[in-house]
Amino acid sequence: MRKNTIRQQHPKETPEGRKSIVKEINTLLPYLLQWLKQQSRTSVKGLLRRGQVWVNATPSTHFNTPLHPGDEVFICHDKAPVPFNHPQLKIVWEDEDLIVVNKKEGLLSVSDSPSQERTAWFLLSQHVKKTDPRNKIFILHRLDKGTSGLMMFARNRNIQEYLRSNWHETITRRSYVAVVEGTPEISEDTIITYLAENKQMKVYCTDPQHGKKAVSHYRVLKSNDVCSLIEFELETGRKNQIRAQMEYIGHPVAGDPKYGAQTDPAGRLMLHARRLFFRHPATGEQLCFETPVPKQFNELLK
């Protein structure tokens, strides 16, 4: 897994309270990179994210803040990094555009109700506001409450709109692992179905005229007489796609009674978002995040 990019800098790297006067028109990040040549690009961007850079006595976290001759840029090293600690949510990547998290099962991604306190969206919203009360978090996709693993949020509206319009071109790999009941007859295959949702908010497989096409590629990693550990590569990302398709082929995800499961061996929905690979919408950099298969999953297949 990629490590969280928020790091506290060693005090010797930058003298406390450095000040510089701008001589030419510029924007903030290029100016800082030129000024702080002895520091890496990552550490300079970290100063911005943590609110340690001030322009004319006002904190600035925006990389493209305009600078004009005579402006004063000040780096304050008394401000410590803003920590984020929560038992059900871990930040694995954070920059000015995106936050990637590893969510534990049992935590909602976002809620449609007025009360959002028990959601990943709310927790991250509170986190970014510690740096600047104007900061916001924007939804890109969701994981079910019972599903664990990697998910991503945008930090500004433009990034959200870009990713929603270019999701399939930007996401280069998105894979899940699940423990399912029984063992599929074919160990590696592609499932193509058409999904719709009924009034009870359950997704089901139907015909092309009434549903949206859903494509999942799967392979059995290991199995025993009771269940199988399967990896899924999603070509489409429909709501409850894996859960509905596995019920359809007769091998529901363990711990998922809504979609036909008869067993609950771990007291949770045994579905985990394992990999998330994408091209950064602002920089074009290929970012690859991966989490281990949950311990509970492997224990069932010993």
Side-chain angles (χ1 to χ4, degrees), residues 105 146-149 176-180 221-224 227-232 253-255 265-274 291-302:
E105 73 280 1
T147 303
S148 56
Y176 289 70
V177 288
V179 174
V180 305
L221 300 179
K222 50 186 174 180
S223 62
N224 57 28
C227 57
S228 301
L229 179 66
I230 296 182
E231 182 174 49
F232 298 88
V253 177
R268 60 158 293 184
L269 174 66
M270 301 204 75
L271 181 62
H272 177 77
R274 186 184 184 189
T291 61
V293 175
K295 184 178 179 181
Q296 295 168 310
F297 292 22
N298 283 318
E299 287 179 345
L300 289 173
L301 277 299
K302 286 182 178 179

Side-chain angles (χ1 to χ4, degrees), residues 198-257:
N198 62 25
K199 293 181 180 180
Q200 290 72 45
M201 300 181 70
K202 180 180 177 180
V203 176
Y204 62 96
C205 297
T206 183
D207 56 77
Q209 288 72 39
H210 297 92
K212 295 181 179 180
K213 187 176 182 180
V215 181
S216 301
H217 308 283
Y218 79 83
R219 64 187 181 100
V220 177
L221 300 179
K222 50 186 174 180
S223 62
N224 57 28
D225 295 336
V226 178
C227 57
S228 301
L229 179 66
I230 296 182
E231 182 174 49
F232 298 88
E233 300 282 347
L234 298 189
E235 192 169 311
T236 58
R238 307 298 181 195
K239 179 181 178 181
N240 293 169
Q241 177 172 316
I242 293 172
R243 298 168 67 184
Q245 288 183 330
M246 294 313 292
E247 179 186 36
Y248 180 73
I249 68 171
H251 297 282
V253 177
D256 193 9

